[in-house]
Amino acid sequence: MAPKKSAAATTPAPVPAPTTPTTAPTPTPSIAVAKPSASGPQSINQVAWNIVDYYQKTTPQRTKLIDVFMAFLVVVGGLQFAYCILAGNYPFNAFLSGFSATVGQFVLTGMFSLGELDERRQSGLDETTEANKAEFPSVSPERAFADYVVGSLILHFFCVNFIN
Amino acid sequence: MAVATGTSSTPVDLLVSVGKNQSTKTLLRVIILCFIAGAAIASRLFSVIRFESIIHEFDPWFNFRATKYLVAHGFYDFWDWFDDRTWHPLGRVTGGTLYPGLMVTSGVIYHLLRALTVPVDIRNICVLLAPAFSGLTAFASYLLTNEMTTSPSAGLLAAAFMGIAPGYISRSVAGSYDNEAIAIFLLVFTFYLWIKALKLGSVLWGALCALFYGYMVASWGGYAFITCLVPLHAFVLICMGRFSMRLYVSYTTWYALGTLASMQIPFVGFLPVRTSEHMPALGIFGFLQLVAFLEYVRSAVPSRQFQTFLYVGLGGVFGISVLALVGLTTLGYIAPWSGRFYSLWDTGYAKIHIPIIASVSEHQPTAWPAFFFDLNFLIWLFPAGVYLCFQRLEDEHVFIIVYALFGSYFAGVMVRLMLTLTPVVCVAAAIAVSQVLDTYLVARSPEPADNKEDDSADTKKASKHGVLRTASQPVVGIYNFLSKGFIAGCMTLYLLLFVQHCTWVTSNAYSSPSVVLASRMPDGSQHIIDDYREAYQWLRQNTKEDAKIMSWWDYGYQIGGMADRPTLVDNNTWNNTHIATVGKAMSSREEVSYPIMRQHEVDYVLVVFGGLLGYSGDDINKFLWMVRIAEGIWPDEVKERDFFTARGEYRVDDQASETMKNSLMYKMSYYNYGSLFPPGQAQDRVRGARLPDKGPVLNTLEEAYTSENWIIRIYKVKDLDNVGRDHAAAASFERGHKKKKATKKRGPRVLRVD
């Protein structure tokens, strides 16, 4: 769960509203802010603050570090997308491979930090998300890291091959 | 059980106890799988044994030619290959418009064998590639089925079914060197990896799945089936409330890597971000991100707040993305669904809008008997297997159900998509059969029966069993030996019938190379009709290296592959107008056709005529498609109605319409045909028509070659007349009708346009 929230919680401001799927969560807070009185029992602003609070309280330093990297990826991806819209997509290969590199890396990193979460659960650090899962039967932290490296290698091989 | 082993040790029990050993089981399994692969390969060799090691049909000839090019010139030349010997004036960027997976696979095998110092001809590799991969497909379906069920026999049954099911054999006999030969293996194996990734939630398996998906994209246009099925499975799982991080991990890995991998193929290129067929995958990717984010929020805030958040956030995002999709489609950034795709939903669509798609026989809707013909008893076990999947309904069973639904729909729409249905039928049927066999084939009765026997003999042991029985689940079983024997016997009979049916179908329906025809002589011996190769060989030896051959597009690949001569159109129907031009030349009067042929520098025209032999797949029977395709481009000049008689019949005898009789195709087919028969007896054996006494007259073409059984007729396009007359005048002069005078002596050669 850590990966997703980072997109929204740590970088609500810098990314305006890119229409790409990965960053799809980001527009939600901005829309919410635009709407002053939510019909629900509590205002949407407060909900957003709650989430940020929750994130800052429960997330360990290591995962936050990873999340910063992910936020960086979102920014880079957003910049590329903005460039594509403003200046045209002429080397479309280059744009696609650059953009998908950021998207792919974002997703892979997200899954890696999931492995990190798992590790914390095993060492008993994190008991808040106990309802979450015993879903990963065979993921040790080393295995998660190895998977991450393999996935990234494949990803970047394809990107470099595609970039022309 | 303890009683049984303790009291008696008959040979059967001994055998069973040997089979219980884990390593023995594994060994047995490996041996059985090897046998299945052997059987799968062997049953595909009919055509090699009956005829020879030859490439079949149409498309394989192009693949064969491309493979030879790859082996001769190397990979980079192949990648940049511009072929000026097809689509004559235009050429074709072959390297960028084909799926290279098949050729590269055989090229790699070729070089591997060379490195191992096994001297092998590239043709033999091409011929035997499909059978070899069918063995791998059997193994892949074994793996896939083992993911579905705990029964140890189901996987082996699925492998056996997959190995010999005619639905798959139809596209993978030896010599059928087509993309499907390796694509079905890749399809099944990609699905296996997807299920594995989903079960384990592992990035590694997801990456493997993406790699094989990339290989599949490189091999076959049918990859779109995976591109749609996997997102659909993910979507169904989300709708069932089964979102899990395993799903998130496996899907996003597969999509992020798989899409990039698919874009490496030049022919696919930007399609994954540009066309609507690929949008579901992208949409589900975004949707999963959203759902994962929502899951996090739900764990972060109380449920009332979450509800607010859900309504506002989800509604906003959904609205924006739908608007974006619609906007991009209308602005033309994303291509709407292609025509081939529409024809999947509306079977009448192609007939109206794209005759060239409808004209291909394998794009026709499937007839009902075809299902039984291709799958035999699997087709009625298939629903039972799907039902069993409903009973367990894990994530992977949902996949089989979704696949079964879509596979059956598509198989009903297009004959060739039977191929994508076959794997799931095999898997589902294997689950059903193994369920039946596991229940009925156990010779020993279930526990309670043992107990009753024991009751009288040994009360101590019986009480022990009783305790166990109350603790365990109630045993529902078959006690009657008669019913066991009956059902097991029936199943065995069905299985035997299945094997027999498969062998029969393979041998009779799917093992003909269609380049070489076989018929039976009155005494029962086999007679080979080899007109195609005879005629192509004639072309190769008697015409100039760059003589352009015009024929209907069906024969383009064969002419390129066997005769090695440039063609105007071929089976890669990329330019509809060009095909329509050939159709117009074939269906118009000579005076119209001749300028067209001159403009395209045609030297020879090749037609296929089955009238003498009763070979029904000839050009006169395909003629209406040429007319329709030409009419699509020149509705004023070619009209389908004119080719029918006043009563709306399609005839070739003396009742045929004037347009029909004057068309170039009719003339070329029946030119000189009457000379074979006594006067007035000329007979067309395909259409069962008696031909008019006076055969057609050809002025602008001359007969160059006619094969032994008249299946292939080749005509040479006459040069302009030496003394400047038009061809009709020159020909009538030749026949002895004197003309007043020739108009001009000798001038510069000009192209005559009537």
Side-chain angles (χ1 to χ4, degrees):
Chain A
M1 301 308 153
K4 290 296 98 308
K5 109 234 65 179
S6 72
T10 56
T11 63
V15 188
T19 50
T20 51
T22 25
T23 50
T26 43
T28 42
S30 54
I31 296 165
V33 172
K35 197 175 177 182
S37 62
S39 55
Q42 275 176 321
S43 90
I44 197 78
N45 272 326
Q46 195 158 1
V47 178
W49 280 117
N50 273 351
I51 296 169
V52 174
D53 269 357
Y54 177 80
Y55 171 71
Q56 280 173 348
K57 268 185 223 151
T58 57
T59 315
Q61 196 58 37
R62 246 168 107 181
T63 314
K64 271 185 183 162
L65 211 61
I66 295 175
D67 286 346
V68 170
F69 177 52
M70 289 167 70
F72 165 73
L73 286 172
V74 171
V75 172
V76 172
L79 278 178
Q80 290 186 11
F81 199 80
Y83 176 85
C84 170
I85 288 177
L86 295 176
N89 60 7
Y90 163 57
F92 196 44
N93 284 59
F95 163 69
L96 268 187
S97 53
F99 189 68
S100 17
T102 54
V103 171
Q105 197 65 57
F106 177 84
V107 171
L108 285 173
T109 317
M111 285 181 280
F112 176 53
S113 69
L114 277 179
E116 289 282 303
L117 270 180
D118 244 30
E119 181 196 9
R120 277 186 290 124
R121 194 165 312 111
Q122 276 159 16
S123 50
L125 286 174
D126 181 14
E127 57 275 347
T128 45
T129 52
E130 81 290 336
N132 227 331
K133 70 230 147 175
E135 274 168 356
F136 296 92
S138 64
V139 181
S140 65
E142 291 81 12
R143 170 70 192 272
F145 186 69
D147 281 359
Y148 175 63
V149 169
V150 169
S152 307
L153 276 179
I154 296 174
L155 176 80
H156 287 283
F157 169 75
F158 282 139
C159 284
V160 169
N161 191 28
F162 193 60
I163 207 164
N164 276 358
Chain B
M1 292 219 186
V3 181
T5 44
T7 50
S8 67
S9 64
T10 58
V12 177
D13 280 330
L14 205 66
L15 209 66
V16 167
S17 66
V18 166
K20 287 218 167 61
N21 190 347
Q22 194 54 45
S23 58
T24 324
K25 269 187 183 170
T26 316
L27 183 68
L28 271 178
R29 236 166 235 231
V30 170
I31 291 173
I32 291 173
L33 276 175
C34 285
F35 273 122
I36 288 173
I41 293 171
S43 72
R44 283 164 170 81
L45 296 183
F46 275 112
S47 60
V48 172
I49 291 163
R50 281 210 196 125
F51 300 96
E52 57 191 284
S53 169
I54 187 186
I55 305 287
H56 292 190
E57 295 195 322
F58 306 107
D59 285 18
W61 277 102
F62 166 74
N63 298 329
F64 179 48
R65 181 163 162 253
T67 312
K68 279 201 288 191
Y69 188 91
L70 168 70
V71 170
H73 295 83
F75 183 72
Y76 287 103
D77 274 353
F78 175 68
W79 206 250
D80 301 328
W81 183 19
F82 178 81
D83 189 1
D84 57 355
R85 293 178 73 77
T86 50
W87 296 90
H88 165 57
L90 309 168
R92 171 183 172 195
V93 193
T94 314
T97 54
L98 53 63
Y99 292 102
L102 183 72
M103 297 95 190
V104 172
T105 308
S106 11
V108 166
I109 294 175
Y110 176 75
H111 286 300
L112 198 73
L113 288 178
R114 275 301 170 95
L116 295 172
T117 65
V118 182
V120 59
D121 188 11
I122 185 71
R123 184 190 44 137
N124 284 323
I125 291 179
C126 294
V127 167
L128 295 178
L129 190 78
F133 267 85
S134 73
L136 289 177
T137 313
F139 180 61
S141 47
Y142 165 78
L143 292 175
L144 180 64
T145 315
N146 269 0
E147 293 300 316
M148 299 299 155
T149 168
T150 49
S151 163
S153 60
L156 293 172
L157 278 169
F161 291 159
M162 196 67 209
I164 57 172
Y168 175 42
I169 284 188
S170 66
R171 287 321 199 87
S172 63
V173 290
S176 168
Y177 181 56
D178 215 341
N179 290 332
E180 290 92 332
I182 63 171
I184 295 302
F185 161 66
L186 293 172
L187 184 86
V188 178
F189 201 68
T190 311
F191 284 152
Y192 161 69
L193 289 172
W194 161 247
I195 295 294
K196 197 83 186 167
L198 181 64
K199 269 185 163 179
L200 295 179
S202 138
V203 176
L204 187 68
W205 284 98
L208 273 179
C209 178
L211 281 184
F212 269 86
Y213 171 71
Y215 190 11
M216 170 82 187
V217 175
S219 309
W220 193 35
Y223 75 89
F225 189 67
I226 302 183
T227 319
C228 292
L229 196 65
V230 170
L232 191 74
H233 180 214
F235 185 66
V236 169
L237 285 180
I238 296 172
C239 290
M240 288 168 78
R242 293 196 175 189
F243 173 81
S244 63
M245 283 328 272
R246 286 178 292 118
L247 177 65
Y248 176 80
V249 168
S250 49
Y251 187 84
T252 44
T253 316
W254 169 77
Y255 183 75
L257 295 181
T259 309
L260 263 177
S262 68
M263 285 194 290
Q264 311 295 315
I265 311 303
F267 192 29
V268 179
F270 302 136
L271 291 184
V273 289
R274 280 269 167 87
T275 57
S276 297
E277 283 97 341
H278 297 78
M279 282 304 125
L282 179 64
I284 296 295
F285 180 69
F287 190 56
L288 268 175
Q289 310 293 331
L290 203 65
V291 173
F293 176 60
L294 285 178
E295 287 277 315
Y296 177 78
V297 171
R298 188 159 65 176
S299 66
V301 297
S303 65
R304 295 297 292 274
Q305 293 187 356
F306 178 68
Q307 246 175 7
T308 325
F309 184 83
L310 190 69
Y311 291 141
V312 178
L314 204 60
V317 170
F318 190 76
I320 287 177
S321 47
V322 166
L323 273 181
L325 188 63
V326 171
L328 285 175
T329 311
T330 43
L331 288 179
Y333 287 111
I334 299 173
W337 306 95
S338 66
R340 229 171 256 254
F341 197 82
Y342 278 126
S343 62
L344 282 182
W345 302 110
D346 175 10
T347 44
Y349 180 87
K351 204 159 194 173
I352 305 165
H353 299 281
I354 345 166
I356 197 148
I357 291 181
S359 75
V360 181
S361 64
E362 63 188 19
H363 290 165
Q364 307 293 333
T366 318
W368 282 110
F371 282 98
F372 186 75
F373 186 73
D374 274 354
L375 299 166
N376 194 265
F377 86 133
L378 301 183
I379 197 63
W380 52 259
L381 281 171
F382 172 48
V386 175
Y387 170 74
L388 287 174
C389 284
F390 266 108
Q391 281 200 323
R392 262 160 275 175
L393 213 62
E394 299 283 317
D395 290 355
E396 60 269 21
H397 298 122
V398 176
F399 179 75
I400 289 292
I401 292 163
V402 172
Y403 184 5
L405 275 178
F406 272 72
S408 346
Y409 175 76
F410 288 130
V413 171
M414 250 190 216
V415 175
R416 80 189 296 198
L417 291 181
M418 185 70 90
L419 204 58
T420 53
L421 175 69
T422 309
V424 74
V425 170
C426 288
V427 170
I431 292 174
V433 173
S434 75
Q435 179 84 12
V436 171
L437 288 184
D438 286 352
T439 314
Y440 284 92
L441 210 56
V442 184
R444 195 174 300 122
S445 289
E447 286 290 284
D450 280 352
N451 272 354
K452 272 172 209 158
E453 281 172 16
D454 290 353
D455 260 344
S456 55
D458 195 346
T459 44
K460 197 179 159 196
K461 269 184 181 169
S463 65
K464 205 174 172 186
H465 273 281
V467 172
L468 276 177
R469 182 157 49 118
T470 46
S472 65
Q473 285 181 336
V475 179
V476 181
I478 314 298
Y479 302 104
N480 192 341
F481 196 74
L482 183 68
S483 59
K484 271 187 197 172
F486 181 69
I487 299 288
C490 277
M491 275 332 274
T492 318
L493 188 68
Y494 280 131
L495 287 168
L496 288 175
L497 276 178
F498 174 65
V499 171
Q500 198 246 342
H501 173 87
C502 289
T503 316
W504 180 80
V505 168
T506 311
S507 135
N508 286 331
Y510 292 138
S511 288
S512 157
S514 91
V515 176
V516 183
L517 308 167
S519 69
R520 295 259 166 230
M521 301 295 268
D523 62 354
S525 64
Q526 182 170 275
H527 176 62
I528 299 283
I529 298 163
D530 210 357
D531 279 37
Y532 280 98
R533 285 197 292 177
E534 181 191 337
Y536 293 141
Q537 196 62 26
W538 183 88
L539 276 178
R540 190 186 266 270
Q541 289 177 351
N542 295 287
T543 59
K544 286 203 305 288
E545 181 79 24
D546 59 346
K548 282 79 182 174
I549 318 286
M550 182 173 92
S551 71
W552 190 235
W553 60 263
D554 294 16
Y555 311 105
Y557 278 165
Q558 289 186 347
I559 295 172
M562 282 191 259
D564 191 26
R565 291 290 172 270
T567 52
L568 258 68
V569 291
D570 63 30
N571 310 42
N572 168 262
T573 52
W574 67 274
N575 189 327
N576 191 28
T577 315
H578 212 53
I579 289 178
T581 310
V582 173
K584 185 183 171 193
M586 294 287 194
S587 53
S588 307
R589 289 174 299 123
E590 270 187 83
E591 297 82 56
V592 181
S593 305
Y594 187 70
I596 297 178
M597 293 192 282
R598 294 292 301 186
Q599 279 163 357
H600 291 86
E601 300 177 310
V602 174
D603 294 300
Y604 292 91
V605 186
L606 182 148
V607 291
V608 175
F609 172 65
L612 182 64
L613 212 63
Y615 171 62
S616 61
D618 68 349
D619 275 349
I620 292 282
N621 277 358
K622 292 174 185 170
F623 189 38
L624 282 179
W625 287 112
M626 306 185 200
V627 173
R628 279 176 203 148
I629 290 168
E631 190 181 10
I633 307 285
W634 293 280
D636 300 333
E637 295 173 65
V638 185
K639 290 193 183 63
E640 187 181 348
R641 183 68 193 84
D642 296 344
F643 290 84
F644 293 105
T645 60
R647 290 166 60 196
E649 292 165 306
Y650 181 62
R651 306 186 68 131
V652 293
D653 52 11
D654 47 5
Q655 312 257 305
S657 72
E658 275 311 300
T659 321
M660 180 75 190
K661 277 183 179 168
N662 285 326
S663 68
L664 194 67
M665 175 56 73
Y666 181 89
K667 284 183 170 180
M668 284 194 295
S669 291
Y670 293 109
Y671 181 69
N672 242 345
Y673 184 56
S675 67
L676 278 180
F677 298 86
Q681 301 285 309
Q683 181 103 19
D684 183 328
R685 292 191 181 127
V686 174
R687 288 152 284 269
R690 168 164 306 178
L691 297 168
D693 290 344
K694 207 167 143 296
V697 178
L698 271 174
N699 292 326
T700 56
L701 303 170
E702 57 186 348
E703 186 174 355
Y705 182 76
T706 296
S707 63
E708 186 189 352
N709 300 296
W710 287 57
I711 288 187
I712 302 236
R713 311 197 67 184
I714 300 171
Y715 291 86
K716 186 172 171 43
V717 180
K718 278 186 193 167
D719 207 346
L720 291 173
D721 188 47
N722 268 344
V723 285
R725 299 165 298 182
D726 64 7
H727 284 102
S732 82
F733 178 79
E734 294 283 325
R735 279 192 292 270
H737 307 299
K738 215 157 195 178
K739 262 256 170 141
K740 275 176 291 179
K741 67 189 259 294
T743 47
K744 246 196 304 179
K745 262 206 116 178
R746 206 178 162 86
R749 288 185 172 177
V750 279
L751 204 60
R752 231 163 283 252
V753 182
D754 291 350

